[in-house]
Amino acid sequence: MTRTYEELVGEAESAPVEGWDFSWLRGRATEERPSWGYQRQMARRLAGASAALDVQTGGGEVPAGALPGEPGARPPVMVATESWPPDVAGATRLLHPRGVVVVADPVEPPLPFADGAFDLVTSRHPATVRWSEIARVLRPGGTYSAQHVGPASVWELVEFFLGARPEARRERHPDDEAAGARAAGLEVVDVRCERLRVEFLDVGAVVCFLRKVIRTVPGFTVARYGDRLRELHERIRADGPFVAHSSRTLIEARRPSDG
């Protein structure tokens, strides 16, 4: 039975949007994954770290999935930061039992830690990257290992709602990310970028995604974009899934050792 626009959108408007759990979209949207497997990489790095920091952790799902199962194999010290109160609460529930301290911290600098406090800093999809602060809290020889949202991510969806925005396509370019790291005194070890196919199978999936990933279409509400959403609903019914392409950048940078 074909579901109506009102049914799909109404369900999506009530979907939970805290954290980075996208399980609500299972069966309604698909996204290819980067070839490097960021969470697996994080797990390997955490197993060898003595003091680790996960910046802008969201609901804590990524570090929770990356932490080794045996307490003795985890970093003796691990902290995560998050600014949005619902995610702070969610990350606390998820990470405290795993021995991780969650700190409520605004996105703006400075990070509330001493210079050289960590030998590993991680982050998956940070909203902003404060390179000078990352360099400051890293110990000499310490590593920043992160997966960033790359340039023009899900741009097909962005331009469907906002129109052509050629001036914004350069934002988060990997060359600029690497330049920012070097300007802060870090050595760039690795930078890779991939574009990955995304399919939205119904208009409800689009509504849930835009409510959750709020920087995609700033200020998105169903009321504000109702006409475009109805047009998208009819387009998906007639032509099949709405196809976009996410962009992901893997970046590893190291603070040079003293001397």
Side-chain angles (χ1 to χ4, degrees), residues 3-99:
R3 304 184 68 192
T4 67
Y5 169 85
E6 289 76 14
E7 288 171 335
L8 293 168
V9 169
E11 186 179 32
E13 283 192 291
S14 64
V17 294
E18 295 82 8
W20 290 109
D21 179 3
F22 286 82
S23 59
W24 191 89
L25 290 169
R26 192 172 296 123
R28 310 182 72 153
T30 62
E31 181 181 0
E32 291 182 300
R33 298 300 179 196
S35 61
W36 49 74
Y38 178 69
Q39 193 173 61
R40 293 192 302 273
Q41 287 199 13
M42 182 189 287
R44 289 194 296 270
R45 293 190 180 280
L46 288 173
S50 61
L53 168 66
D54 192 57
V55 178
Q56 298 179 39
T57 198
E61 296 89 352
V62 177
L67 283 166
E70 307 78 19
R74 301 173 189 175
V77 175
M78 186 166 179
V79 183
T81 66
E82 176 54 39
S83 61
W84 194 41
D87 277 351
V88 172
T92 299
R93 288 192 298 270
L94 192 58
L95 294 176
H96 271 198
R98 293 166 169 82

Side-chain angles (χ1 to χ4, degrees), residues 121-187:
V121 177
T122 59
S123 193
R124 181 180 179 272
H125 302 177
T128 56
V129 183
R130 307 296 184 185
W131 287 112
S132 60
E133 281 298 287
I134 291 166
R136 182 183 66 78
V137 301
L138 277 172
R139 295 172 181 168
T143 295
Y144 176 68
S145 177
Q147 179 176 293
H148 295 177
V149 174
S153 192
V154 290
W155 211 244
E156 298 90 341
L157 195 62
V158 171
E159 294 196 328
F160 181 85
F161 287 96
L162 300 180
R165 302 179 71 233
E167 74 287 350
R169 293 186 67 90
R170 174 79 189 191
E171 293 175 4
R172 297 176 177 263
H173 194 282
D175 290 348
D176 298 338
E177 302 274 57
R182 293 188 183 100
L186 299 174
E187 297 174 346

Side-chain angles (χ1 to χ4, degrees), residues 197-220:
R197 183 181 177 91
V198 180
E199 294 187 356
F200 295 95
L201 308 185
D202 65 56
V203 71
V206 173
V207 170
C208 180
F209 178 83
L210 294 179
R211 289 182 60 232
K212 196 173 184 72
V213 190
I214 58 175
R215 57 184 176 269
T216 306
V217 178
F220 172 83

